[in-house]
Amino acid sequence: MSRYATYTQVISADVEIELATSGNYVRCLDATGIFLIGLDDDPLAEFTKGLGFELPDARSFSRLRIYNPGSTAITVQLATAYGRVLDSRASFADAIPVGAAPHLVTGPDISVPAEGVALLAAGDTKRREIIVQNRSQNAREIRIGDAAASAVEGVELQPGETWRMAVTGDVFAYNLHTADAVVAVAVITG
């Protein structure tokens, strides 16, 4: 009785094969498509790359059935064992998109004129998020929004409050006070 074994099989479309192997653990190390698996005379169940399971209690199997329900041949690599097999390799069904790491861009505080509007950040499709803070030294709230930001439109920020949003368009601030306000801005790009 082998404690660990691997099997690589090419399975034609709409074909079931049987492996004479025993164990209480099975894992799919690699597969070029989805397939069904059955232990002994148990019903078939969907299986794919990266899946594995261990039978509970003292149960074991003495044969492994593999069925390819697809319309093209697939290649399947399975591992069987008595006892769990730990596998630290990562397996992914699809490519993982990798992009540039986010980058934080800061600049000097921006002055928003009394009862007026200031552009905080021009539109940028590379911008992931913008962070705006109504500095605590300001006497009143400001409003953050698009070009229509005004005394009655936009997200209201009290002195000391911060607003963070995923937005790629122009971002403006409107100052409701009769004195200039100072706004801190940071942009996350990537």
Side-chain angles (χ1 to χ4, degrees), residues 72-113:
T72 59
I74 62 171
T75 301
V76 174
Q77 183 182 27
L78 298 173
T80 61
Y82 282 94
R84 181 175 297 172
V85 177
L86 301 177
D87 185 351
S88 63
R89 294 175 295 175
S91 57
F92 304 94
D94 295 315
I96 298 174
V98 178
H103 183 71
L104 180 65
V105 179
T106 60
D109 288 347
I110 297 171
S111 180
V112 183

Side-chain angles (χ1 to χ4, degrees), residues 8 17 21 32 37 40 49-50 58 61 66 95 102-103 110 114 116 126 134 137 139 145 157-158 162 167 178:
T8 301
I17 66 167
T21 183
T32 58
I37 192 169
D40 296 326
K49 179 179 179 177
F61 56 87
I66 308 166
H103 183 71
I110 297 171
K126 294 180 183 171
N134 185 5
Q137 74 253 27
L157 289 182
Q158 294 295 323
T162 301
V167 59
T178 55

Side-chain angles (χ1 to χ4, degrees), residues 20-132:
T21 183
S22 61
N24 67 350
Y25 183 83
V26 63
R27 177 182 270 306
C28 180
L29 301 174
D30 199 9
T32 58
I34 293 174
F35 59 98
L36 304 177
I37 192 169
L39 306 177
D40 296 326
D41 294 319
D42 288 347
L44 294 169
E46 188 173 295
F47 217 61
T48 190
K49 179 179 179 177
L51 293 181
F53 64 90
E54 183 176 21
L55 292 173
D57 306 322
R59 289 191 52 208
S60 64
F61 56 87
S62 59
R63 61 191 172 91
L64 190 60
R65 298 174 6 258
I66 308 166
Y67 171 64
N68 174 8
S71 57
T72 59
I74 62 171
T75 301
V76 174
Q77 183 182 27
L78 298 173
T80 61
Y82 282 94
R84 181 175 297 172
V85 177
L86 301 177
D87 185 351
S88 63
R89 294 175 295 175
S91 57
F92 304 94
D94 295 315
I96 298 174
V98 178
H103 183 71
L104 180 65
V105 179
T106 60
D109 288 347
I110 297 171
S111 180
V112 183
E115 298 178 343
V117 167
L119 177 66
L120 301 181
D124 184 352
T125 58
K126 294 180 183 171
R127 181 173 60 223
R128 290 185 181 187
E129 294 184 40
I130 187 167
I131 304 166
V132 177

